[in-house]
Amino acid sequence: MATSEKTLWSSFDALPQVEQEILKVLSVVYEPINQTDLQQLLKSLDHPGSSLVGKQWREKMKRRQLIEMTGTRLRCCKLLCNALTFEAVQDGIFDRIAAHSYIYAFKPTWMDNDYLYNPWRYKRRLRNALFAHDEEELVSLLGITGPYDTPELARAQILFEVSLPLVVPWFRGMPENFKYQLMRYYFTAQTLSLGNSDDGYRLLQEAHEAGEIVAPPSLALMAEQALYRGEDAKFD
């Protein structure tokens, strides 16, 4: 039976701070990592939790469903992952963790931007680009030329996947073209599945009212959604 997000946060909040910080590192790492590499990464960060990571700690995190296992590799649970990474950004430690993970855990290869060859590595790089506001990296990974160009559907789908669960303050702080890429796919997917996209539309409206949506492609997307809803809206 799936554990609710509220229960997971209660379990997380009950942990000692050092264990919370280990999970925060895991959230930035994102892709499944073996225990030895996690220990090495934590040591490289001078993290006091490096000596805690072992079978006992792993079993404790599994019981509380704060980590997920892929074979012998572990990763931060999906429901808390983006929120914890956003905290790492706010704490000013995201860049260092991300950089060290490339050096001590996942050495980059020339195939890292191929989502078919190495899907986890591709997802992690996309997600890092979102959190770091790295437009050059995002455009490269999406295989597009300009920031508002339309990527192939599979790449757009993966981009949206790694943004979930979407943390609203994180979304609101993104560059406008990042918001556009996420919401463009979201509206397309919801239309194709006959789903309800009102929540996404309200989120985009709030961003527009705050002056965060000004580029013609974004305004055109909003106008299109307003038209679908029968609203007489104009976006200058």
Side-chain angles (χ1 to χ4, degrees):
M1 183 176 180
T3 302
S4 70
E5 186 173 347
K6 182 179 180 180
T7 300
L8 288 171
W9 278 117
S10 295
S11 295
F12 176 83
D13 290 338
L15 294 174
Q17 184 176 353
V18 65
E19 292 185 288
Q20 293 181 4
E21 295 297 325
I22 295 172
L23 289 173
K24 198 173 291 185
V25 171
L26 265 182
S27 78
V28 176
V29 170
Y30 189 68
E31 67 177 289
I33 182 173
N34 67 50
Q35 186 173 291
T36 301
D37 285 342
L38 176 59
Q39 290 170 327
Q40 185 176 356
L41 173 59
L42 291 170
K43 287 178 182 177
S44 78
L45 294 165
D46 298 319
H47 196 292
S50 60
S51 61
L52 290 177
V53 174
K55 182 178 180 180
Q56 186 176 356
W57 176 84
R58 187 178 69 245
E59 292 304 315
K60 175 183 176 181
M61 295 301 107
K62 284 171 62 178
R63 284 195 305 271
R64 300 187 182 200
Q65 298 186 39
L66 292 171
I67 63 170
E68 300 168 3
M69 301 298 299
T70 302
T72 59
R73 294 173 177 265
L74 54 111
R75 63 184 297 255
C76 181
C77 70
K78 176 70 173 174
L79 283 178
L80 302 191
C81 198
N82 284 344
L84 290 178
T85 300
F86 184 60
E87 286 187 14
V89 172
Q90 292 178 306
D91 293 343
I93 59 175
F94 169 82
D95 289 340
R96 185 164 180 258
I97 296 171
H100 277 238
S101 71
Y102 280 115
I103 299 170
Y104 295 96
F106 305 107
K107 291 180 172 58
T109 72
W110 68 278
M111 292 291 283
D112 280 2
N113 64 344
D114 187 332
Y115 63 89
L116 294 175
Y117 173 76
N118 195 334
W120 273 113
R121 192 65 46 85
Y122 179 78
K123 289 176 183 179
R124 182 164 65 90
R125 287 186 61 188
L126 264 182
R127 186 171 176 273
N128 282 357
L130 284 175
F131 277 107
H133 296 176
D134 189 339
E135 181 178 304
E136 182 178 354
E137 173 82 339
L138 190 74
V139 165
S140 174
L141 289 169
L142 290 178
I144 55 180
T145 302
Y148 291 93
D149 291 348
T150 302
E152 63 178 283
L153 185 60
R155 292 177 187 268
Q157 182 177 8
I158 295 170
L159 177 69
F160 188 70
E161 175 191 332
V162 301
S163 76
L164 299 177
L166 188 63
V167 179
V168 173
W170 172 38
F171 175 81
R172 292 291 299 275
M174 288 180 186
E176 182 178 354
N177 58 293
F178 286 29
K179 295 186 181 79
Y180 172 81
Q181 290 292 351
L182 289 173
M183 298 311 292
R184 184 196 58 76
Y185 174 80
Y186 168 76
F187 289 128
T188 299
Q190 291 299 95
T191 299
L192 291 175
S193 65
L194 302 179
N196 187 312
S197 59
D198 289 347
D199 287 345
Y201 182 60
R202 279 193 295 270
L203 186 58
L204 207 56
Q205 280 184 312
E206 291 169 2
H208 176 256
E209 290 167 2
E212 301 164 11
I213 302 296
V214 296
S218 302
L219 295 175
L221 182 64
M222 288 196 66
E224 180 183 75
Q225 291 302 312
L227 181 63
Y228 288 159
R229 290 164 172 78
E231 296 180 7
D232 184 18
K234 294 182 179 179
F235 303 99
D236 299 324

